[in-house]
Amino acid sequence: MRNLVILGGGYGGLRVIQKLLNEKDVKDVSVTLIEKEAYHSLKTEFYALAAGTVADRHLRISFPNDVRLELKFEVVTDIHLNDNKVELQSGEFINYDDLIIGLGCEDKHHGVPGAQENTLSIQSMRRARKTYQVLQSVRPNGRVCIVGGGLSGVELASELRESRPDLEIMLFDRGENILSMFPAKLYNYVTDWLVENDVKIINKANITKVERHTLYNHDEPVEADAIIWTAGIQANKIVRNLENVEQDHMGRLHTTKYHHLHNYENVFVIGDCACSTHAPSAQLAEAQAERVAMLLNKKWKDEPYPEEMPKIKLKGTLGSLGKKHGFGLMGEKSLTGRIPRVLKSGVLWMYKHHSGS
């Protein structure tokens, strides 16, 4: 019997499991998922959990119940590529024939002194929950600083505005405008919405240091009751610490067109751990996962891989501005207003419905 081990139960890990368990002819294979939490969580919605507008029970989905699937709720501490073993925090070693690495990402603090120790995060369910607790404890009319004007920072700022109208919210971004990866129509719309809703945007920011309740922008101190970091990501530390594998500037692993590591044809990498020309997203992780599931199916049947892999087609990006407004990019088309917000809610409902929630 072949033993497939999957590290991480995020969007990619869950999709691989769903695809493989749906295949009637996947036999003589045991699948082991190693995940530190006892559930799959909707990471794209952690901003709402942190802001206090969604309860965490609405962002949890149970893993499939199947005799072919073993669930291990443990923390991975090391991957021994040459020995085909995974090491767990408990001291246990898990052997594998095939391995899928989908451990996700962590905040990247860019070497800013004090940033890691003195800022809050929304990168995991536990951290988003802690951020929620801190934000709800902020004094009336207190000040919250958000570092990073990408999708996460913008969604958090807008949701927090609805949750706590009393707060002074400052959004720091190092670019000339927030959401720099989007067309001008979108970032101008979002900028106007934030300004109209009293979110102060500080462009061309340069955070040089962070203390417990003080942010230094161009070395100028800014006092804050809470500081949240959404200014960049990097691959999981376990992945970054792997030796003799090629990585990009975010610590993500370079793979072949078949999603496996060079020189390790039994080790596949998906999601935020894999180097890609596409921006990191849940959609991308799922698309990669579907391809890996197809490849494993062929491998286990001793069938050749396709010469050309099917092209990854992403549907676009949707962002929310509170509960009533949103923005999005579907192909080349920019969407603003209520329609993208409704679309995002629909996509979320469909995901939860199809994932068994």
Side-chain angles (χ1 to χ4, degrees):
M1 181 173 283
R2 290 193 69 84
N3 185 18
L4 168 66
V5 173
I6 302 171
L7 305 184
Y11 290 97
L14 179 60
R15 182 56 61 92
V16 168
I17 291 168
Q18 290 168 335
K19 295 296 282 188
L20 290 177
L21 296 184
N22 278 339
E23 293 286 341
K24 297 285 189 287
D25 51 358
V26 170
K27 297 169 185 166
D28 300 323
V29 176
S30 71
V31 181
T32 302
L33 171 67
I34 303 175
E35 160 61 47
K36 66 178 185 292
E37 302 293 357
Y39 45 79
H40 168 76
S41 51
L42 304 177
K43 187 175 182 181
T44 59
E45 305 304 301
F46 284 172
Y47 71 91
L49 170 60
T53 56
V54 172
D56 66 359
R57 63 192 167 87
H58 294 306
L59 304 183
R60 296 195 298 255
I61 292 173
S62 298
F63 291 113
N65 183 11
D66 192 294
V67 292
R68 294 168 291 175
L69 176 64
E70 181 184 358
L71 300 172
K72 268 193 169 307
F73 302 127
E74 300 258 9
V75 174
V76 178
T77 54
D78 205 353
I79 303 168
H80 301 274
L81 293 172
N82 294 324
D83 299 324
N84 290 351
K85 288 180 182 175
V86 174
E87 188 174 348
L88 305 181
Q89 199 171 55
S90 62
E92 185 182 359
F93 286 84
I94 306 293
N95 295 306
Y96 62 81
D97 295 308
D98 295 293
L99 179 70
I100 297 175
I101 301 174
L103 289 168
C105 64
E106 302 170 356
D107 289 306
K108 185 170 186 176
H109 296 97
H110 307 285
V112 176
Q116 185 168 350
E117 301 81 7
N118 298 308
T119 62
L120 299 162
S121 170
I122 57 171
Q123 278 301 332
S124 70
M125 179 75 98
R126 288 172 188 255
R127 290 190 166 186
R129 200 181 288 130
K130 181 188 174 187
T131 299
Y132 159 73
Q133 290 165 348
V134 172
L135 289 175
Q136 295 312 305
S137 301
V138 170
R139 62 189 170 86
N141 303 313
R143 176 186 286 166
V144 173
C145 291
I146 300 170
V147 182
L151 189 60
S152 296
V154 163
E155 289 192 307
L156 177 60
S158 60
E159 201 80 6
L160 186 58
R161 168 50 72 229
E162 291 201 351
S163 172
R164 289 285 306 269
D166 61 296
L167 293 177
E168 179 188 1
I169 302 172
M170 301 178 72
L171 181 61
F172 292 81
D173 187 64
R174 66 181 178 181
E176 293 191 9
N177 50 265
I178 58 170
L179 297 174
S180 55
M181 71 293 291
F182 287 98
K185 179 184 175 181
L186 286 187
Y187 65 66
N188 285 330
Y189 172 81
V190 175
T191 299
D192 290 343
W193 189 97
L194 291 172
V195 170
E196 285 169 16
N197 286 274
D198 294 323
V199 174
K200 187 175 182 183
I201 301 171
I202 295 90
N203 293 317
K204 298 183 182 176
N206 180 25
I207 308 306
T208 49
K209 186 170 66 168
V210 184
E211 293 173 350
R212 186 152 180 258
H213 286 296
T214 311
L215 187 72
Y216 289 83
N217 181 30
H218 295 282
D219 295 324
E220 291 292 321
V222 180
E223 305 259 326
D225 294 280
I227 304 166
I228 308 158
W229 193 271
T230 62
I233 57 171
Q234 58 187 343
N236 185 288
K237 187 178 180 182
I238 304 300
V239 168
R240 300 199 314 272
N241 287 344
L242 286 175
E243 296 179 353
N244 302 319
V245 289
E246 195 179 348
Q247 302 178 352
D248 69 4
H249 67 286
M250 293 164 63
R252 302 180 302 180
L253 303 174
H254 284 272
T255 61
T256 69
K257 68 179 178 180
Y258 299 121
H259 299 284
H260 60 66
L261 286 178
H262 297 275
N263 303 320
Y264 297 96
E265 292 188 8
N266 64 331
V267 180
F268 299 85
V269 191
I270 56 177
D272 295 339
C273 293
C275 186
S276 174
T277 53
H278 299 283
S281 70
Q283 269 187 80
L284 177 62
E286 290 175 337
Q288 292 169 336
E290 292 190 0
R291 295 169 105 192
V292 169
M294 176 268 291
L295 293 169
L296 283 171
N297 239 321
K298 289 188 174 296
K299 181 178 182 179
W300 295 335
K301 294 176 188 171
D302 291 321
E303 295 177 3
Y305 287 168
E307 280 288 317
E308 285 296 318
M309 290 291 283
K311 190 177 179 184
I312 287 180
K313 294 175 184 172
L314 303 178
K315 294 186 176 73
T317 304
L318 294 167
S320 68
L321 295 170
K323 291 289 180 272
K324 294 180 180 176
H325 298 88
F327 57 97
L329 190 61
M330 308 299 280
E332 300 290 313
K333 190 172 177 60
S334 295
L335 303 174
T336 58
R338 296 215 169 207
I339 290 174
R341 188 65 187 91
V342 171
L343 284 173
K344 186 177 179 188
S345 296
V347 168
L348 183 63
W349 184 88
M350 290 283 288
Y351 182 84
K352 291 170 78 170
H353 181 70
H354 286 301
S355 298
S357 178

